Amino acid sequence: MMADGYDFLAFQDGINVVVLRAAGGRTVPVDGRTPIDLDNAAEPVGELLTELLAATVGIGGDEGIPPGVLEALRGLPVPAAFRASPWLSASRAIVVRDGVGAAGGLSVRYSDGGGLQIDLPETDRDADFDSDSYFDGDEDG
């Protein structure tokens, strides 16, 4: 079986999420300035595509992330704008406002210095797990 040229962007046990900021009636990649309409089925190109790829975080199953978190993230719909792009077609969007948001029943936080944090729901916390988040990383994956 021949590999698709975009296989490196998706990995079997993980998921890619694109972190976006909502502010002033616009949604932009966390380190970008170009607004995106996630419901628009037009393929993102040029500077917007570059900014979206830079805001992509790969969350892998091999990072000790409980399967329930990956399931919740996989349950998020792929935005129409991402489905139109071979580079983003398997990515989900996480939108934060003032650094906080929600995704698939999970609380998320993003800061420029701390990156993306996906908080455990209180009821799903493992008694032996001493961190407040499943994932704590930056946009470089």
Side-chain angles (χ1 to χ4, degrees):
M1 184 166 133
M2 210 161 165
D4 182 320
Y6 303 109
D7 283 347
F8 71 94
L9 291 177
F11 44 100
Q12 186 174 11
D13 293 331
I15 188 165
N16 288 329
V17 296
V18 179
V19 186
L20 306 162
R21 292 185 204 267
R26 299 174 4 149
T27 302
V28 298
V30 289
D31 289 328
R33 294 185 208 139
T34 309
I36 183 168
D37 176 356
L38 294 171
D39 296 324
N40 184 343
E43 179 179 354
V45 295
E47 185 174 337
L48 176 58
L49 178 60
T50 300
E51 290 177 2
L52 291 168
L53 292 174
T56 299
V57 177
I59 302 173
D62 60 347
E63 296 171 357
I65 298 167
V69 170
L70 291 173
E71 268 180 48
L73 293 173
R74 284 188 190 108
L76 296 173
V78 176
F82 292 2
R83 286 191 305 264
S85 169
W87 300 101
L88 299 167
S89 64
S91 298
R92 291 1 185 239
I94 291 181
V95 180
V96 295
R97 181 179 302 277
D98 297 324
V100 296
L106 304 170
S107 295
V108 297
R109 291 178 290 178
Y110 179 84
S111 69
D112 293 332
L116 179 66
Q117 293 184 319
I118 301 175
D119 295 326
L120 298 164
E122 236 3 92
T123 57
D124 290 343
R125 287 199 176 154
D126 184 316
D128 295 331
F129 195 71
D130 61 359
S131 174
D132 286 342
S133 62
Y134 286 128
F135 179 77
D136 182 4
D138 61 29
E139 64 273 10
D140 294 330

